Amino acid sequence: MTSVTVGVLALQGDFREHAAALERLGAAVRLVRTPDDLAEVDALVIPGGESTAIGKLADWHGLVGPLRERIDAGLPALGTCAGMIFLASSTVEGTGQVQLGVLDVMVRRNAFGRQVDSFEAEIPVVGLEDPVHGVFIRAPWIEKVGAGVEILAELEGRPVMVRQDSIIATSFHPELTADGRLHTLLLDMIREG
Amino acid sequence: MDQGTERVKRGLAEMLKGGVIMDVTNAEQAKIAEEAGAVAVMALERVPADIRRDGGVARMADPTRVEEIIATVSVPVMAKARIGHFVEAQVLESLGVDYIDESEVLTPADEAYHIDKWRFKVPFVCGARNLGEALRRIGEGAAMIRTKGEPGTGNIVEAVRHMRTMNDGIRRLQILDQEQLMSEARDLGAPFDLVREIAETGQLPVVNFAAGGIATPSDAALMMQLGCDGVFVGSGVFKSGDPEQRARAIVEAVTYFEDPQMIAKVSRGLGEAMVGIEIDKLADDERMQERGW
């Protein structure tokens, strides 16, 4: 494919694992820490991490507005775990944490429990032949979805992967496995324009 | 559905990377830490500087305190157990803490053996001064490593020494021939399989944070530039003049650790840093880093 640059939001979290996954697929990666970095990218990954810390850092450093504008304007985006919470419009807890609100879902943080409840499970995904190996770490689930949101995977009746236009979000961490299929979906969205 | 796997234990530490974990002794401090952008808080009875000052046996925090902290913040809650004190660890696991620090900051319960960490569902972080010590802890099941540094001193020199020593140890493995690795494992006192793995990958198989003596944003960024994945701040926040501002400044310095202008900006007007201690002024039995092996 022609060279594309995928941004990985690098305020905090496992951004290096996402960068490595994208590089294995032949994409150029730019770590995004400032609005200038963001201007240079053709797609964006928001990694796993702590959503409160990522939200605060984005807010303090003037990234919330530019992130909203670019994603609303169609920048393909993939958010995993904390990234899903950051993309979402609200949380059940409603504690006033900073969120982009570009993905029309309500999430429940730490919905599957604390760290001792963290787990791995095989997750069938709509459109993929074989299940994805899901690594769930203090993972959120999606409590409610808006009209334009397609549910791509569920666990125990709870959505754990969704798509809305060119935004994909997961409760789990594909970047912690060698499976590049979800990152490929992101790269496909760039090509589809 | 598999719980308590190596991947989910190590995975939580991956999520904490690029972040700051702060020592807190009560719910109020935990809230301040979370508001300042901490990625996790570490519950303990007294911060290291106070343990140093007051002496006596330092133990696991009161379960009520730990529960109050868990109820107050949404970020992961870690707590310290004494080296070798597997019952303190069992108690902390039952309270629902997200990570246990088997820590030299507390008074060791066992002078010969560390906790068998494989037996727990909750992951452990352990301190290390060099590669051999890190690999022994990983061999016992630790899912995250941190430098020991010299806790409660506000002096970064020992954390720097430990990080450089660990980096040196890893680089050395990469230049050795295959037939030299067994002797090296013997000299390091480290499991051979891990030695062979690191000779190939050039990195620890778990996340490695800096800890012990971090007091300023520049200290934190120094440790990040030396290759740490994130930092623990113990006494450095709540023993300083303005904990809220200093905590936030250290968080920002860890994200923007390669940007000196940003570090300068966040370092302005923070008030008094914690009072530091020269390492040479510590008697041998006051050096917490000598605890454990």
Side-chain angles (χ1 to χ4, degrees), chain A residues 88-161:
Chain A
S89 36
S90 63
T91 63
V92 174
E93 296 78 12
T95 47
Q97 89 177 80
V98 180
Q99 289 177 285
L100 295 178
V102 292
L103 175 64
D104 187 13
V105 300
M106 178 190 269
V107 294
R108 183 182 289 275
R109 293 188 57 194
N110 305 335
F112 289 102
R114 302 190 67 83
Q115 174 61 18
V116 288
D117 307 307
S118 293
F119 61 94
E120 303 179 49
E122 300 304 310
I123 307 294
V125 173
V126 173
L128 295 182
E129 203 165 312
D130 298 315
V132 167
H133 187 75
V135 183
F136 292 78
I137 297 174
R138 287 171 45 95
W141 70 45
I142 290 177
E143 191 85 10
K144 268 191 221 165
V145 298
V149 178
E150 183 189 1
I151 296 168
L152 297 181
E154 285 183 327
L155 182 65
E156 296 170 357
R158 304 290 184 173
V160 293
M161 178 174 174

Side-chain angles (χ1 to χ4, degrees), chain B residues 4-280:
Chain B
T5 61
E6 190 176 275
R7 179 136 58 182
V8 299
K9 286 176 168 180
R10 293 178 178 183
L12 178 55
E14 300 285 348
M15 299 310 141
L16 302 176
K17 285 192 303 192
V20 182
I21 300 165
M22 299 183 197
D23 276 4
V24 298
T25 58
N26 57 45
E28 185 193 350
Q29 289 183 351
K31 195 72 209 166
I32 290 170
E34 186 176 54
E35 285 300 314
V39 291
V41 295
M42 173 73 73
L44 75 176
E45 194 178 41
R46 293 175 281 167
V47 294
D50 287 339
I51 292 171
R52 213 172 260 298
R53 191 193 62 202
D54 299 340
V57 174
R59 310 179 178 90
M60 170 186 83
D62 182 325
T64 304
R65 280 286 165 82
V66 176
E67 283 174 341
E68 284 168 3
I69 291 166
I70 288 174
T72 302
V73 295
S74 67
V75 296
V77 175
M78 302 184 166
K80 287 187 192 290
R82 285 179 265 178
I83 290 174
H85 205 316
F86 50 84
V87 174
E88 282 189 349
Q90 291 164 7
V91 170
L92 292 172
E93 181 175 55
S94 79
L95 295 176
V97 306
D98 297 296
Y99 239 96
I100 293 174
D101 184 0
E102 185 183 17
S103 178
E104 69 282 3
V105 167
L106 306 185
T107 310
D110 193 320
E111 293 187 333
Y113 305 114
H114 287 251
I115 296 171
D116 173 15
K117 293 165 274 287
W118 295 113
R119 287 167 55 184
F120 290 79
K121 251 167 90 178
V122 65
F124 281 75
V125 54
C126 289
R129 289 163 298 178
N130 52 52
L131 183 61
E133 198 171 6
L135 298 187
R136 287 192 290 279
R137 297 293 85 78
I138 295 168
E140 293 160 356
M144 178 179 185
I145 292 293
R146 55 172 175 75
T147 62
K148 285 183 166 175
E150 191 53 50
T153 61
N155 190 336
I156 195 69
V157 66
E158 293 301 302
V160 169
R161 187 194 320 281
H162 298 164
M163 191 62 203
R164 284 200 182 278
T165 305
M166 212 168 313
N167 287 342
D168 284 350
I170 291 170
R171 272 194 292 269
R172 180 174 156 74
L173 287 187
Q174 289 179 280
I175 57 169
L176 292 180
D177 291 328
Q178 282 294 323
E179 59 266 33
Q180 295 177 283
L181 292 179
M182 184 59 86
S183 298
E184 186 70 4
R186 179 199 59 202
D187 296 345
L188 287 169
F192 177 65
D193 290 349
L194 287 171
V195 167
R196 199 166 48 180
E197 179 183 338
I198 289 165
E200 260 175 46
T201 64
Q203 56 186 18
L204 290 182
V206 302
V207 165
N208 183 20
F209 269 45
I214 292 158
T216 70
S218 294
D219 289 347
L222 173 66
M223 296 312 299
M224 293 298 289
Q225 288 198 23
L226 285 172
C228 288
D229 294 313
V231 304
F232 285 88
V233 186
S235 318
V237 169
F238 289 102
K239 285 287 154 187
S240 73
D242 186 345
E244 287 87 347
Q245 282 305 313
R246 184 166 296 269
R248 173 175 159 170
I250 293 174
V251 168
E252 292 180 284
V254 167
T255 293
Y256 295 97
F257 69 94
E258 291 171 311
D259 181 349
Q261 287 176 327
M262 182 67 80
I263 297 165
K265 187 177 157 198
V266 303
S267 299
R268 290 177 209 277
L270 293 182
E272 290 291 311
M274 70 178 285
V275 177
I277 300 173
E278 274 187 60
I279 303 299
D280 295 347

